[in-house]
Amino acid sequence: MSRFTIFLIAALLGACSIGAGIAPPLEIKSPEMGMIYGNIQAPDRVTEVVLREYGKVYIRPFNRPPRVLIYRDGNFMAENLKPGKYIFSSLNTLTKRYNFVREKINAYQHIVTVHPGEIVYIGSFALFDLPQKDIHRDSFEMLRMRKPDERTVIKGLYEKSVGTGWHDLFARRLMALR
């Protein structure tokens, strides 16, 4: 194998390991924009959390779901959300996709409302794989957890949002949690 090939493979592996969740959040686009944040733990590393605006259809490349940043500790944030209703619909790990909303009636149980200029904590969750009874259907359970609590999650995201308006909103929320 040539040195160029080895370098190319190393560069591609490095790029894949960095991931999209390492980036800091974008600056607040306008005072009406909000954020949803939380923490998710899964049997494998979480690579994507999918939030969808309620009632909106996403067809790539024309439109995409909101950007969600995921960090190695399980903290995630979706910044610059227009006021409205959003659904925490699915997540991907390194090895599997978990769909939380399979039917329209299930969507109502996962709605999160974002008001203008608001940051919304949706909680900490742990995802558990269950033994499969039906090979055509995924078997998992998602439980709301007490730890990490909102304060711990905010502290982690607070450090990552330095230099943005989100940093100030996190600081205010930390003060309110005292």
Side-chain angles (χ1 to χ4, degrees):
M1 220 189 273
S2 72
R3 286 185 181 182
F4 176 75
T5 306
I6 293 171
F7 175 74
L8 182 63
I9 291 171
L12 287 173
L13 288 174
C16 291
S17 68
I18 290 173
I22 304 303
L26 297 173
E27 184 55 64
I28 298 175
K29 292 183 180 176
S30 76
E32 300 88 40
M33 296 299 194
M35 174 188 284
I36 293 174
Y37 62 98
N39 181 283
I40 185 82
Q41 300 296 319
D44 207 355
R45 189 166 80 81
V46 177
T47 58
E48 181 182 27
V49 173
V50 180
L51 284 171
R52 298 183 177 275
E53 194 171 351
Y54 183 73
K56 187 170 185 178
V57 176
Y58 295 97
I59 302 172
R60 291 186 182 208
F62 305 109
N63 58 1
R64 294 178 173 211
R67 178 176 99 139
V68 180
L69 301 171
I70 306 121
Y71 298 95
R72 290 196 182 272
D73 57 4
N75 291 341
F76 63 89
M77 66 173 112
E79 83 279 11
N80 286 313
L81 300 175
K82 295 184 293 184
K85 295 180 180 185
Y86 292 86
I87 301 169
F88 181 29
S89 66
S90 66
L91 69 86
N92 292 331
T93 66
L94 291 172
T95 58
K96 202 169 181 183
R97 179 176 183 88
Y98 298 90
N99 291 314
F100 305 127
V101 180
R102 290 193 184 111
E103 300 163 357
K104 191 171 183 177
I105 191 123
N106 291 347
Y108 296 113
Q109 299 171 2
H110 298 274
I111 290 177
V112 178
T113 302
V114 176
H115 297 286
E118 180 182 46
I119 60 174
V120 180
Y121 176 65
I122 63 170
S124 291
F125 303 93
L127 193 67
F128 299 97
D129 282 320
L130 301 173
Q132 286 188 328
K133 296 175 185 169
D134 180 0
I135 60 170
H136 300 292
R137 195 167 180 94
D138 290 334
S139 245
F140 64 88
E141 189 167 343
M142 187 169 72
L143 300 175
R144 187 176 291 272
M145 307 301 283
R146 290 183 186 205
K147 301 260 180 177
D149 61 357
E150 182 177 9
R151 189 169 176 73
T152 305
V153 172
I154 287 178
K155 283 180 181 179
L157 297 176
Y158 177 81
E159 295 171 8
K160 292 169 178 61
S161 64
V162 172
T164 68
W166 302 113
H167 189 77
D168 296 336
L169 289 174
F170 282 136
R172 279 189 235 144
R173 183 67 185 142
L174 274 173
M175 293 300 287
L177 289 173
R178 284 190 167 187

